[in-house]
Amino acid sequence: MQSIQLESQYLIHLLSAVLKDTQPQNPPDKLDWEKLYKLATWHGVSNMACYGVSRLTCDNQPPRDILEKFESDRKKAVAREATQHIAVEQILEAFEEKGIASMPLKGCLLKYLYPRPDMRLMADIDIYFKTEQAEKVKKIMLEQGYTAKHQGGNHDVFYRQPFMNIEMHHRLISEDSPYSDYLKKTWERALLKPGCDYTYELSREDFYIYLLIHLTKHYSGGGTGIRSFLDIWVYKERYKDEMDWDYIQAELNKINFLEFAKNISGLCEVWFGNAGSTVLYDEMTEYVSCSGVYGIRKHAVVSSMGIKSGKQYSVRMAKWLYSLKLFFPPFDIMKIKYPFLERVPKLLPICWVLRSIRCIVFKRRNTLQMINNVHAVSEQDIRKIGRLHEKAGLLK
C-alpha cells in the first residue's frame, strides 16, 4: 500500500484555502495528482478542491486530464445542488400542507454555510420525521414521483431519477448506539422554524452536538471522511460566537463525550485553522485519510471487534463472535428485512436460512469479501485502532 500522506496533507490544504478564501501554496514537487484526485473523490470533496486547484498558476496545476476531471466534478455538483435544492423545497412545502412534522438535517442546512452551497456535496438528503406519520410520508413521496426503495430500520429511503435519494429518518442513530437515549429526546428539543407550522429545527447548540455524534458514529464504525470534519469546522466558525458553550459542555458531559469532542475540534483546528499538530492528531489524520481510501470495510470490522470484543476476548474469539452476529443477525435487525417476524417471531431461524441463501446466490462477491475482511484482521490491527480510539477519548 503506497503512502497517501503527502496527497492527504495537500488536499486538506487546498480545502482550507477555499474555506478561508486564500491563495493555496504551490504543490510539493513529489505530489501525485492522480492519487490526490482519487483521494478527493473518495472523500466526496473533489468538486470543492477544484476551486482551490483553479487558483494555482498554470505551471502548478495538475495535468490536463486530471484538471478536466476536477472541473467535471465541480460542474456536476453545481447541477446536482440546484436540483436537490428545488426537490427539498417541494418536499418540505408538501409536508407543511399535509401537516407532516419534519426536520431537515446535515447537508440540507450545512451547505449554505460554505462559501458556495455546491461545495458541500450531498449523496443523500436526510430529513427527520415522526414514525407514526410514515404512511402519510410515503403517500406524499410517491405522489412526487419517488420510488420507495426501503422502509423500516433507522430510515425509509425514496429515490427519483436522476440522483434524488431521500432518507426519511425514524431515528437519528441506531438503538444500540451509546448515544441513542440522548438523541431519542431530539423532538423534545426541537423548535418550530420561524414562519412554519410543521417544519422544525434544532438550536445552534443542539445541532452542533448532533453533528459531533453523527461524525462519531461513522468514525468509530469504520472511519469517516474529511467532509465530516469540514462540516464541524464550517459550522463552528459560523456560530462559535453565538453558541452557549457552557450548555454544550454540560450536554457532552452527560453522554461522556467531552474529551473526544475536544479532539474532533482540535483536529479541525490543525487542518483548517492555524494550530500545530500532535502525535495524536497525526494518528487521527492517518486514520481518517485511510478510512476514506483503502480501509473503510476493514476499519469497520476492526472497530467492531476491537471496541466491543477485543478487550474481553482473544482475537480468535472476537472474530468468531463478530462472524456469528454477521451471519445470524439479532431479531431487531432481521425484522426490518422480514416484517412478518413481528407477528411470528418463531420463524427467525428460517429467515436466517433465507438470508444466507440470498447472500450466497445474489451477493456472493460481497459475502466473500466480508469473510475475507474478518480473516484479514490481526491482533495488531485491533490493538492499534483500539489504542487510537482510547487516546482520542472515544472509549472512555
Side-chain angles (χ1 to χ4, degrees), residues 4-25 27-28 31 33 35-37 39-41 43 45-46 48-53 70 114 224-230 233-234 264 266-275 277 281-290 292-293:
I4 59 167
Q5 184 176 4
L6 186 65
E7 287 71 29
S8 176
Q9 289 177 346
Y10 193 66
L11 173 60
I12 290 170
H13 170 70
L14 284 173
L15 298 173
S16 178
V18 173
L19 286 178
K20 294 184 285 190
D21 194 23
T22 59
Q23 177 65 29
Q25 299 174 7
L31 185 79
W33 275 109
K35 191 185 295 185
L36 184 144
Y37 173 73
L39 184 69
T41 55
H43 283 269
V45 294
S46 59
M48 181 175 175
C50 180
Y51 287 98
V53 170
F70 273 115
Y114 282 72
T224 190
I226 294 171
R227 193 173 64 191
S228 295
F229 290 85
L230 276 169
W233 168 260
V234 167
I264 292 173
L267 186 59
C268 288
E269 291 290 339
V270 171
W271 286 2
F272 311 118
N274 299 310
S277 190
Y281 293 153
D282 287 344
E283 291 177 354
M284 290 177 69
T285 296
E286 180 184 5
Y287 177 76
V288 173
S289 297
C290 290
V293 183

Side-chain angles (χ1 to χ4, degrees), residues 34-289:
E34 183 175 1
K35 191 185 295 185
L36 184 144
Y37 173 73
K38 289 180 179 179
L39 184 69
T41 55
W42 191 265
H43 283 269
V45 294
S46 59
N47 59 306
M48 181 175 175
C50 180
Y51 287 98
V53 170
S54 65
R55 295 186 179 190
L56 297 171
T57 62
C58 293
D59 292 342
N60 288 298
Q61 288 183 343
R64 175 152 296 279
D65 61 325
I66 302 296
L67 186 61
E68 289 176 353
K69 290 179 181 179
F70 273 115
E71 187 61 30
S72 175
D73 289 350
R74 186 192 67 79
K75 291 177 180 178
K76 289 177 183 177
V78 171
R80 188 185 190 100
E81 191 280 323
T83 302
Q84 289 177 332
H85 173 79
I86 295 171
V88 171
E89 291 296 310
Q90 291 173 339
I91 291 171
L92 295 179
E93 286 177 9
F95 287 173
E96 277 283 318
E97 290 177 6
K98 302 296 183 180
I100 304 296
S102 66
M103 184 189 302
L105 300 169
K106 297 185 317 187
C108 291
L109 307 175
L110 290 166
K111 67 179 182 176
Y112 299 110
L113 304 182
Y114 282 72
R116 291 176 53 105
D118 59 271
M119 290 181 180
R120 208 299 188 173
L121 195 64
M122 290 193 297
D124 306 310
I125 292 172
D126 301 273
I127 300 174
Y128 191 35
F129 77 111
K130 297 182 178 181
T131 302
E132 60 267 26
Q133 295 185 305
E135 288 307 311
K136 291 182 179 178
V137 166
K138 181 179 179 180
K139 181 180 179 181
I140 292 172
M141 298 303 289
L142 295 179
E143 288 173 351
Q144 294 204 12
Y146 290 85
T147 300
K149 291 177 60 180
H150 167 82
Q151 286 189 277
N154 292 334
H155 53 253
D156 299 340
V157 181
F158 298 92
Y159 181 77
R160 188 176 73 186
Q161 292 284 359
F163 41 63
M164 292 303 305
N165 206 63
I166 312 294
E167 292 189 353
M168 296 296 304
H169 287 259
H170 298 270
R171 60 180 72 98
L172 297 180
I173 204 164
S174 299
E175 290 187 332
D176 61 354
S177 166
Y179 314 112
S180 176
D181 287 342
Y182 183 82
L183 290 180
K184 280 179 181 177
K185 299 178 181 178
T186 296
W187 280 115
E188 297 175 19
R189 303 184 185 98
L191 307 167
L192 268 177
K193 185 177 178 181
C196 297
D197 295 319
Y198 297 99
T199 304
Y200 289 80
E201 60 186 9
L202 291 174
S203 68
R204 307 287 190 218
E205 295 82 2
D206 286 326
F207 191 74
Y208 181 70
I209 293 169
Y210 163 69
L211 289 178
L212 291 170
I213 292 175
H214 183 78
L215 180 152
T216 304
K217 177 189 75 170
H218 291 293
Y219 184 94
S220 63
T224 190
I226 294 171
R227 193 173 64 191
S228 295
F229 290 85
L230 276 169
D231 287 346
I232 297 295
W233 168 260
V234 167
Y235 192 85
K236 186 179 178 182
E237 280 298 293
R238 172 62 180 82
Y239 296 118
K240 63 183 178 182
D241 295 331
E242 302 175 28
M243 290 196 286
D244 182 344
W245 289 100
D246 289 336
Y247 170 84
I248 291 173
Q249 180 170 321
E251 293 297 292
L252 293 176
N253 266 326
K254 288 180 184 178
I255 53 177
N256 202 21
F257 193 68
L258 188 58
E259 183 177 356
F260 187 59
K262 287 181 177 178
N263 283 321
I264 292 173
S265 180
L267 186 59
C268 288
E269 291 290 339
V270 171
W271 286 2
F272 311 118
N274 299 310
S277 190
T278 64
V279 173
L280 172 60
Y281 293 153
D282 287 344
E283 291 177 354
M284 290 177 69
T285 296
E286 180 184 5
Y287 177 76
V288 173
S289 297

